[in-house]
């Protein structure tokens, strides 16, 4: 059975471009309930810890630097089938591949500055929620 919680980050590019409002509106319109939300500023060690699963990838250092480049908004969300439905709502990691109408198609600049993060499994959703909200 799939879980009912997921976690998202509005990333520095989307925050800076004043897309937080439209993105949150889209999330709520899609039936997600906000359980927790906070403006946050990451430092490099904390960004590295959050993205530790990518530590051997060639883009890891740039990703961490980028995630520290400005404020982010961290959000815990609730909905039936949350992880899968949220990933559909945001679209593919690379906005060039994202479907029309998805958050990344509408608001992302590039594969790195891709507007939002979304948990990729129920297990990771809980880990990511605990990372910011406990
Ligand atoms: P996110 O959903 O936050 O999870 C990991 C992030 O790494 C991803 O979104 C992208 O921002 C980033 N990422 C994934 N693949 C690449 C890539 N090939 N080049 C640069 N950044 C990437």
């Amino acid at each position: 059975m799939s879980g009912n919680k997921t976690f998202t980050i509005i990333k520095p590019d989307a925050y800076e471009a004043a897309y937080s409002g439209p993105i949150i509106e889209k999330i709520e319109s899609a039936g997600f309930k906000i359980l927790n939300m906070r403006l946050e500023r990451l430092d490099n060690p904390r960004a590295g810890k959050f993205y530790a699963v990518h530590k051997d990838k060639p883009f890891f250092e740039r990703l961490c630097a980028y995630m520290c480049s400005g404020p982010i908004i961290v959000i815990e969300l609730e909905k039936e089938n949350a992880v899968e439905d949220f990933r559909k709502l945001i679209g593919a990691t690379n906005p060039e591949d994202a479907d029309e109408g998805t958050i990344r198609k509408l608001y992302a600049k590039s594969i790195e500055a891709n507007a939002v993060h979304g948990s990729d499994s129920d297990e990771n959703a809980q880990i990511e929620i605990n990372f910011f909200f406990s």
Side-chain angles (χ1 to χ4, degrees), residues 79-100:
K79 183 184 182 296
E80 232 172 69
N81 202 35
V83 167
E84 193 183 335
D85 286 2
F86 193 75
R87 289 176 74 79
K88 278 188 200 142
L89 179 68
I90 64 178
T93 304
N94 187 345
E96 284 180 18
D97 302 329
D99 289 340
E100 291 298 330

Side-chain angles (χ1 to χ4, degrees), residues 11 51 54 59 63 93 104 111-114 116-118:
K11 296 189 180 184
Y51 278 121
H54 296 301
F59 57 81
L63 174 63
T93 304
R104 283 174 171 155
I111 191 168
E112 180 180 78
N114 64 353
V116 286
H117 166 79

Side-chain angles (χ1 to χ4, degrees), residues 36-40 46 72-75 131-134:
N36 257 313
M37 178 163 75
R38 187 173 72 242
L39 191 73
E40 172 100 14
R46 200 156 152 76
I72 59 172
I73 299 175
V74 294
I75 313 174
F131 187 92
F132 285 103
F133 295 113
S134 58

Side-chain angles (χ1 to χ4, degrees), residues 7-111:
F7 171 79
T8 187
I9 299 176
I10 298 179
K11 296 189 180 184
D13 58 295
Y15 177 85
E16 181 59 30
Y19 291 148
S20 304
I23 289 172
I24 290 167
E25 191 179 342
K26 247 185 133 23
I27 292 170
E28 288 190 309
S29 298
F32 290 87
K33 184 175 180 190
I34 294 172
L35 297 184
N36 257 313
M37 178 163 75
R38 187 173 72 242
L39 191 73
E40 172 100 14
R41 192 80 198 241
L42 289 176
D43 59 17
N44 214 273
R46 200 156 152 76
K49 202 171 164 199
F50 182 77
Y51 278 121
V53 65
H54 296 301
K55 67 178 184 318
D56 297 326
K57 305 263 175 65
F59 57 81
F60 178 71
E61 295 297 332
R62 272 179 45 136
L63 174 63
C64 291
Y66 162 67
M67 290 301 289
C68 301
S69 67
I72 59 172
I73 299 175
V74 294
I75 313 174
E76 178 183 357
L77 295 167
E78 182 181 63
K79 183 184 182 296
E80 232 172 69
N81 202 35
V83 167
E84 193 183 335
D85 286 2
F86 193 75
R87 289 176 74 79
K88 278 188 200 142
L89 179 68
I90 64 178
T93 304
N94 187 345
E96 284 180 18
D97 302 329
D99 289 340
E100 291 298 330
T102 59
I103 289 174
R104 283 174 171 155
K105 187 67 169 190
L106 289 166
Y107 301 115
K109 292 197 173 91
S110 66
I111 191 168

